[in-house]
Amino acid sequence: MFVRLSKNNLPLQFVLLVLFSLILWGKSFVTGGFSRGSCWLWWAVCLLMAVGVAFMVRRQQVSRNPGMQGLLFLCIAVPLTGTEYLPQTWVYPLFLLSFYYIFNMYGKDKPYPDIFNAAFFWSAATIFLPDLFFTMPCLLLVLLAYAAGDKHSWLSSLFGMGVPYLFLAAYDFLSGNSLLQDNMTRIMVFGLPDFSSMAPIPGILLLGCVTMALLSLFSLHKFLQDIEMTERRKSSAMTTIFIYLLVFFLFSAGRVPASHWFPLFFPVAFFCTKFIVYTHQAVLKEVIFILLLALSVSGVYINSSVWPGFF
C-alpha cells in the first residue's frame, strides 16, 4: 500500500520522510527530553541530508521517486550512525556534495569544475575520516569510464584530491603541528572481515539492503533500456562507486566503525529504491518496504547489546 500510494507521488513521499524521521528520533526525544538541543540538531541535520539526497536525485533526473530515495537513505543511515550527535556529523554532507558533482559532470562539454569539486569534497572528507583515504580511487575508476583519454579531466580530479592535503600540509608548516603525518598513520585499515563490532539489527538491515542492491544491479539493463544516455552513465557511475565501496568496507570491516560506512549508504539506497520500485510483485514490494522500515526502527529502539557477538 505504501509503495503503491507513494510511487510518483512526491508530496506523500516527503510527508512519509518527515514522519519516519520523527519516529526514529522518538526514543531520543522522550528519554533526553524534548528541550534537548543537541538531539533536535542531529535530527535536523539528518533530515536535511535525506532531503538533500532527494533533491539531488530529482535535480539530476536519476530517480522518479526522490522522496522514497531519501526515506531509504535515512532508513539505512540512522541505525548505523545513531540518533546522537557525533563529531563527524559535519563531514557527512561533504560526501553528498561529491555525489552531486559526480552526477553533474555528465552531459557537459567541459565538466572540469564539477570533476574538481567532486574530488575536492571527497578528499576533504577523508582528512576528517582518514580511514576512508583509500576510497578516493573509486573516483578515478568513474573517470576511467567517463573520460579515459581526456587529460584535463584527470588533472582536474588529481588536483581536486590534492588541494585539501596541500592545505593541511601548509597548516602544519605554519603552525608547527603534524596533522598530516598523523592522518597518514591512520589510513591502513585493511584486514580480514570482522563484523563483531556491528550491532546485529543494523547489520541485518545493511546486509539485506546490500543484497537488494546487488539484485538490482543484475537487472540493471532492464530499466536502462528506456532512459537516455546521460542517465545511463550516471547509473553506471553509481554502480562503480557501489561495488568499489562494498569491496573496500568488506576488506576493512572491524577497523572502520559502522558510522564511517556513510559513503556506501547513498549508492545502496539508490539501488534499493530501484529494486523496490521495479519489482513486479505488488505484495512483495510492500512487504520488503515495510520490513526495511521495521528493521530500521528496531535498530534504533532495541538495545543491541543483549545480543553480543551476533555477527
Side-chain angles (χ1 to χ4, degrees):
M1 179 182 68
F2 288 106
V3 178
R4 181 173 60 84
L5 291 177
S6 61
K7 183 179 178 181
N8 299 324
N9 188 338
L10 193 58
L12 180 57
Q13 290 177 23
F14 280 100
V15 169
L16 290 176
L17 174 59
V18 175
L19 289 177
F20 185 69
S21 69
L22 290 172
I23 292 173
L24 288 177
W25 262 264
K27 181 179 179 181
S28 296
F29 288 146
V30 172
T31 57
F34 286 95
S35 60
R36 189 178 174 189
S38 60
C39 187
W40 282 101
L41 176 62
W42 184 220
W43 167 79
V45 170
C46 288
L47 180 60
L48 285 175
M49 284 194 291
V51 172
V53 167
F55 170 79
M56 183 196 315
V57 296
R58 180 174 173 81
R59 176 74 179 269
Q60 300 296 336
Q61 299 179 346
V62 292
S63 176
R64 292 160 183 80
N65 297 277
M68 186 180 296
Q69 173 93 45
L71 178 60
L72 287 180
F73 170 80
L74 197 69
C75 168
I76 298 169
V78 174
L80 288 160
T81 59
T83 56
E84 298 294 330
Y85 171 80
L86 296 173
Q88 61 264 29
T89 298
W90 306 108
V91 181
Y92 295 155
L94 296 177
F95 287 111
L96 296 183
L97 284 170
S98 183
F99 280 119
Y100 175 82
Y101 284 109
I102 290 172
F103 281 142
N104 209 46
M105 71 184 188
Y106 290 94
K108 292 184 176 181
D109 295 331
K110 296 182 179 181
Y112 311 126
D114 294 303
I115 294 174
F116 174 86
N117 289 335
F120 176 85
F121 285 120
W122 198 292
S123 179
T126 64
I127 286 180
F128 299 99
L129 303 176
D131 46 8
L132 300 184
F133 178 84
F134 286 106
T135 62
M136 284 196 290
C138 70
L139 300 177
L140 300 180
L141 292 179
V142 170
L143 279 181
L144 187 63
Y146 172 72
D150 187 354
K151 63 180 181 181
H152 298 292
S153 296
W154 288 96
L155 288 174
S156 296
S157 64
L158 293 174
F159 188 53
M161 290 180 187
V163 165
Y165 284 89
L166 288 175
F167 285 158
L168 186 59
Y171 174 79
D172 284 348
F173 176 77
L174 295 174
S175 64
N177 291 320
S178 58
L179 295 180
L180 181 59
Q181 181 180 350
D182 295 341
N183 271 33
M184 292 297 102
T185 60
R186 295 164 56 193
I187 66 174
M188 297 304 295
V189 295
F190 299 104
L192 295 176
D194 177 16
F195 299 96
S196 59
S197 61
M198 185 178 294
I201 295 181
I204 293 172
L205 173 64
L206 183 60
L207 178 62
C209 290
V210 167
T211 302
M212 281 191 290
L214 290 172
L215 292 174
S216 178
L217 289 182
F218 291 138
S219 59
L220 191 65
H221 66 280
K222 293 182 180 179
F223 60 81
L224 288 181
Q225 294 174 354
D226 301 327
I227 61 179
E228 60 181 18
M229 184 58 67
T230 300
E231 187 173 346
R232 292 187 190 185
R233 290 174 177 171
K234 292 176 181 179
S235 295
S236 298
M238 281 299 100
T239 302
T240 302
I241 293 174
F242 166 66
I243 294 175
Y244 183 97
L245 292 179
L246 181 60
V247 172
F248 171 82
F249 285 119
L250 285 177
F251 283 96
S252 61
R255 300 192 181 191
V256 177
S259 59
H260 290 193
W261 290 45
F262 185 85
L264 182 64
F265 300 156
F266 176 80
V268 168
F270 179 83
F271 288 112
C272 278
T273 303
K274 291 186 179 297
F275 179 83
I276 292 174
V277 170
Y278 287 99
T279 298
H280 296 296
Q281 292 84 357
V283 176
L284 178 61
K285 68 171 63 178
E286 297 287 349
V287 170
I288 292 175
F289 185 66
I290 294 174
L291 182 60
L292 290 179
L293 298 185
L295 281 173
S296 181
V297 173
S298 299
V300 172
Y301 277 74
I302 297 178
N303 186 358
S304 58
S305 62
V306 297
W307 297 289
F310 185 87
F311 276 8

